[in-house]
Amino acid sequence: MPQTPMLEMKGIVKRFPGVLAADHVDFDVLPGEVHTLLGENGAGKSTLMNILYGLQEADEGEILLNGKPAEIHNPTDAIALGIGMIHQHFMLVDTLTVAENVALGLKSGRGALTDLDAVSARIEELAERYGLEIDPQALVWQLSVGQRQRLEIIKALYRDVHLLILDEPTAVLTPQEVDQLFVTLRQMTDDGRGLIFISHKLHEVLALSDRITVLRHGAVAGNTTSEGATRESLAEMMVGRQVKLAPDKPPVEIGPAALQIRGLTVISDRGIEAVSSLDLEVRTGEIFGIAGVSGNGQRELAQAIAGLQEAVAGSIHIDGQETTNLRPAEVRSRGLSYVSEARMREGVIGEFTVSENLLLIDHASEQFVNRGLFDFKAIRSHCEVLVGEYAVKTPTLDTPARNLSGGNIQKLIVARELAGSPKVLVVAQPTRGVDIGAAEYIHARLVDQRSENAAILMISEDLDEVFALSDRIAVMYEGQIIAVVKPGETTREEIGLMMAGVRPTDSRHG
Amino acid sequence: MSDFLTQTVLIATVASAIRLAVPLLLASLGETFGQRSGVLNLGVDGIMLLGAFGGYFTVLRTGNVWLGLLVGVLVGLVLGVASAVMAVTLQAEQGISGIGIFLFGLGLSDLLFQRLVGTPLPISSFPKLAVPGLSDIPVLGEMLFRHSVIVYIAFLGVPLSMFIINRTTFGMNIRAVGENPEAADSLGVSVTAVRYATVSIGGTLAGVAGAALAIDLGIFQQNLTNAAGFIAVALVYFGAWRPLGVMAGALLYGFVNALVLQFKTLGIIPRSWSDIAAMAPAIITILALVLVASRFRQPAALTKPFTRGA
Amino acid sequence: MKRRRNSWVAMAAVMMLIVAACGGDGDATTTTASESAGGASAESFRIAIVAPSASNDLAFTQSIVDGVEAIRGERGNVQVAITDGTFNVDDAAAALRGYAEDGFDLVIAHGSQYGGSLQEIAPDFPDIAFAWGTAADTFGLSNVFAYEAASDEGGYVMGVMAAALSETDVVGVVGPIEVGDAKLYVDGFAAGVVAEEPATTVNINYTGSFSDVALASEAAQAHASASADVLTGTAQMVVGAVGVADELGMLWFGTQANQTSLAPEIVVASQVYRWEVILREILTNIDAGTLGGEAFVIDFDNGGLVIEYNDGYDLPADVRQKADDTIAGIIDGSITTG
């Protein structure tokens, strides 16, 4: 006899101006299962979950809990019905203690007074039972990212949540922390709780899910199970066509070092030493991937190479010429191209048109200037070629860049940066927040540059990306590179340990 | 200088500091609640002025100082709710709407005074209370325990505020809402309700502060507060959003004022320095408290309106 | 929704501003009183007053309002317009210019701080007579009168009485800022005390503010702790000091207006300004076609300064006699107040 679903969402419709965010979506969860919602940005996952949690109201459709219709108008309703949500960004109050964060919004056993001793005791019980070690008296700002995630789980357990929504809960975790989280989540389903897991990390989805529902453009694109799916098949459902998750990498002859960094030290904007006496070399024809949890100096490293942040010690050479602390334009003239992780702030000027953004760097080049004036015909044809070649979807060349989607803005930036055939290319988070199709495209172009003997330094928090593209992988931790390994000679788990600061044994090093 | 070291003068200076601190303390304790929940109310001075007039007028007509204080409470409550409507529901820019409330209070209190009273007439003040036992302690007793009843009420507000903020669920909600309203909302804490409550408390205490000032002075005059409400708002920042810090700030401000007055009276500060010395309280208080307050962070959501899902 | 909310905010803001503006009229109230309702206004003499504090402040502003009212009573057919509460000099300047443009016959700028503005405005209206006080300078302009009070004379008389009444031989003064009329009064008071009783200490406390009532009150407390038993003070914030004097049983001498109503038991006497004495002369000048260029002073001699005693206070006859003798001496020149 089939189980009664603990949750059924039937025919959910949500319209935003100009967009159908949810198009008659059906979704259900059985007790004790992990049902994953998978989809690209904007596919409607968050909308659906916000409706379930009372943060938004559906235009049409109904929600049944244990077979009975439920009215959910705000989070209070959802909480009362046993629904919990762990948000992509932690919903924690930094200045309160762990116990206070748990007690927030709950009735106290002592009436108007807080009853934190009782709360702490219960937290310790739950922590022991689920292996979620945490100090109830600690202030949240003192906790590590992993501990904060544990606190979010404890908040849900404390409320005895039957149905828990997890919105991209692994985004900021190391692989080890993800493994731990999954163990806890499995304990929760063993208790008969239902989990809704939202993620775009395909291997995590396959590792955790019982069932998978894929959303595309607000509608259900397909249902499957972990057993019946592969990363490729899931990606195909998300995008609607066949997708190559790892680009073909033709053999390329590795040449001399084109980017050499010796003893580089950079002080961050917050005044702390973000990069400490760092050494690295990237040779022509290779993609050198840097993995690491964000905030370990990756950003400052890239900025220093590009001349956007001061190197207080050490040297940087590009193609044999010293570029340490040169102005950004001078560094570029030595052969550097840079794709910043801060796409909207440093990558494009949102108010400028597509063609103006494409020309930001080369506007003084002879190619586009004729007797001191812009040669608009030459510019136009150059831009048309780039937009075509890099598949930037834009209504016209005169559309302001801010009106493009994230993926197309990123393609625009990549098109501009690769156009000059750089000797050294620094790319930070090349596909973060970009849809799979665009990511596939950008990856292919990076591999093309490698074939053309560029030296590519790629900084990424996405381990799939790092493994798929890199010829060598470096792990950055607290401003230093603690290991350099080849992708075929390591595992995700090993990289994960290094990302958490565990240095590899000497035998593997170097 | 030796004149200053007499016991009488020392006692008088401390007692004077305490009296000067009372309206500031009441108003800034109230403002602390609002700011801890993320709402800055710059209109405190306006509410104080209306509370002052309301309290004064009531005592003038009835002779009952407690009725006067009650009217201060009610006037403050009404204006506190009005402030909350502007800051929380209408999400008006908090600095601007606060100035609006200030101008409203400044204008209306004077208008009412001119229409209903006209020439300043004296009223009776709060009764003095010598705390049994404590007031007999030499020196200290005279400094601390022979004051108007309102002085004790104001200072009792400090531990009470600490208790509410740190030990009650309401206080925990206030701290959460001021720091991360999204998180509080996601757990079913009503950001709107909490902020309405805190801003209303702030208004009420501002009204009480004004009434206490007028009744203690026994008089009303145009702009009676002389910007004390703005000093109260500043004291909340400099007191690092903590009742004890706020009390220390109010006392320091009162003490430097009292000290300068004593020095002037005794001729220790020459008359040619008189005008410069008049600025000393503000400058010294700001310097001292900036040193302390720079170690603390303001509530993260201060002055930021909250909209669910925004 | 967003748009609607903004319009609500705008509406609320406008409401606030309207009320604040109405209240603002309370700050800077403009009132007009007309002698005859019958429409003789075409021939009536029109006087405008711009003054810093409230017109019933029992102090500086009230003195000129009372003076002009007295003139209205004498002459009849006088229209009076008042803008008071203009602590802000720019607001005062706008009001002065407005009255001049409206063609008032005499525009009074009652505050030494308005001098700079008047110096700019008066030349633009050569047909309008302006009066400025308290000050002695007409800027050499032919349409500006200056007026001031010899408040040192009254201060001196108060000082003589204070010294005679003090049992502790300490008297205290609560002042605002050491300038103008306040300085004149306080210096005269101190001179009077010393002349009567050289051993008496005069503690002078300028609080630094014309408006901080609480500080004035604490200044009086400070005087008490320095064992003063007689106080005086000048400017509108002294109402706070009078309250303390009343509470602690110290005697009070008032100035600028009769302050007996503030504390009927302890106010001994008040120096009162009778600006009508010199307003009369100014009006005579204007009637004769002279619109300015002259400076006037009210003093005991011309009757512009008067000591008003509180009937409720039982002043010993010998002290009263001393006061009368002193006034006579000032008038005949045998006593100098400096």
Side-chain angles (χ1 to χ4, degrees), chain C residues 23 43 74 97 99 115 176 220 245:
Chain C
E43 301 136 41
E74 289 169 15
R97 192 173 279 280
Y99 285 129

Side-chain angles (χ1 to χ4, degrees), chain A residues 49-245:
Chain A
M49 290 303 102
N50 285 343
I51 289 168
L52 178 55
Y53 197 61
L55 292 166
Q56 287 170 353
E57 296 216 33
D59 296 325
E60 289 175 35
E62 62 172 341
I63 299 174
L64 304 179
L65 287 173
N66 300 314
K68 289 185 286 257
E71 292 282 329
I72 304 174
H73 300 294
N74 52 49
T76 313
D77 292 346
I79 293 165
L81 291 165
I83 302 171
M85 181 160 180
I86 294 182
H87 301 260
Q88 193 171 355
H89 307 288
F90 294 133
M91 286 291 189
L92 298 172
V93 183
D94 280 1
T95 49
L96 298 192
T97 65
V98 165
E100 285 176 324
N101 268 281
V102 171
L104 204 57
L106 293 177
K107 272 211 157 58
S108 163
R110 292 166 64 206
L113 306 186
T114 53
D115 192 9
L116 295 176
D117 289 344
V119 174
S120 299
R122 175 82 181 128
I123 289 172
E124 275 164 357
E125 257 175 60
L126 288 170
E128 188 167 348
R129 181 157 152 226
Y130 289 92
L132 298 163
E133 190 196 328
I134 201 157
D135 173 9
Q137 267 72 52
L139 289 163
V140 166
W141 60 264
Q142 299 168 324
L143 302 182
S144 71
V145 168
Q147 287 172 317
R148 289 178 198 209
Q149 185 68 271
R150 265 176 248 161
L151 173 53
E152 287 285 18
I153 304 270
I154 287 173
K155 273 163 66 182
L157 288 170
Y158 195 99
R159 285 164 173 73
D160 197 21
V161 161
H162 301 300
L163 181 65
L164 181 62
I165 307 161
L166 297 125
D167 186 2
E168 307 227 2
T170 63
V172 289
L173 301 184
T174 64
Q176 273 68 33
E177 288 170 330
V178 171
D179 289 347
Q180 274 180 21
L181 173 68
F182 284 5
V183 170
T184 308
L185 295 182
R186 270 302 159 201
Q187 267 180 286
M188 291 176 73
T189 54
D190 290 348
D191 296 344
R193 297 176 217 269
L195 303 186
I196 301 173
F197 183 65
I198 298 174
S199 178
H200 61 262
K201 294 186 180 174
L202 299 175
H203 67 271
E204 288 179 0
V205 169
L206 290 173
L208 185 68
S209 313
D210 295 305
R211 286 193 293 155
I212 300 165
T213 292
V214 180
L215 290 179
R216 190 167 71 232
H217 304 315
V220 175
N223 294 293
T224 180
T225 60
S226 286
E227 291 76 32
T230 61
R231 289 173 58 208
E232 285 73 18
S233 72
L234 290 177
E236 192 176 330
M237 266 197 259
M238 286 165 74
V239 182
R241 62 171 169 81
Q242 263 204 320
V243 176
K244 219 173 218 152
L245 289 173

Side-chain angles (χ1 to χ4, degrees), chain A residues 429-431 443 458-460 462-470:
Chain A
Q429 318 296 353
T431 60
H443 286 160
M458 181 185 73
I459 295 167
S460 176
D462 180 349
L463 274 187
D464 288 339
E465 181 170 74
V466 170
F467 270 89
L469 264 73
S470 306

Side-chain angles (χ1 to χ4, degrees), chain C residues 199-249:
Chain C
T200 298
T201 308
V202 186
N203 291 327
I204 298 174
N205 197 336
Y206 283 103
T207 64
S209 166
F210 281 92
S211 52
D212 197 326
V213 181
L215 213 55
S217 150
E218 290 303 326
Q221 293 273 7
H223 282 308
S225 71
S227 43
D229 63 348
V230 180
L231 296 184
T232 189
T234 175
Q236 61 273 18
M237 81 298 168
V238 295
V239 291
V242 179
V244 170
D246 194 19
E247 183 191 331
L248 301 180

Side-chain angles (χ1 to χ4, degrees), chain B residues 166-236:
Chain B
N166 296 318
R167 296 264 175 263
T168 66
T169 45
F170 175 55
M172 191 168 76
N173 290 347
I174 293 173
R175 287 181 283 142
V177 164
E179 199 64 33
N180 189 344
E182 287 78 19
D185 180 63
S186 78
L187 294 174
V189 174
S190 168
V191 176
T192 303
V194 168
R195 288 185 170 174
Y196 259 85
T198 57
V199 176
S200 300
I201 290 173
T204 303
L205 283 175
V208 169
L213 178 70
I215 297 172
D216 211 41
L217 290 171
I219 202 79
F220 185 85
Q221 200 177 59
Q222 176 189 61
N223 191 21
L224 181 78
T225 56
N226 200 39
F230 290 96
I231 293 166
V233 174
L235 285 177
V236 176

Side-chain angles (χ1 to χ4, degrees), chain C residues 157 160-161 164 196-197 317-327:
Chain C
V157 177
V160 168
M161 285 192 276
E196 172 66 20
E197 203 67 67
D318 60 320
V319 179
R320 173 66 190 260
Q321 189 58 48
K322 272 182 188 159
D324 291 343
D325 293 349
T326 308
I327 294 171

Side-chain angles (χ1 to χ4, degrees), chain C residues 36-53:
Chain C
S36 61
S41 62
E43 301 136 41
S44 69
F45 194 91
R46 297 165 76 213
I47 303 176
I49 305 169
V50 177
S53 48

Side-chain angles (χ1 to χ4, degrees), chain C residues 9-10 35 37 52 81 114 119 139 161 177 197 235 256 273 284:
Chain C
V9 172
E35 168 64 15
Y114 303 153
Q119 207 173 349
F139 310 118
M161 285 192 276
I177 292 171
E197 203 67 67
Q256 295 184 333
Y273 298 167
T284 311

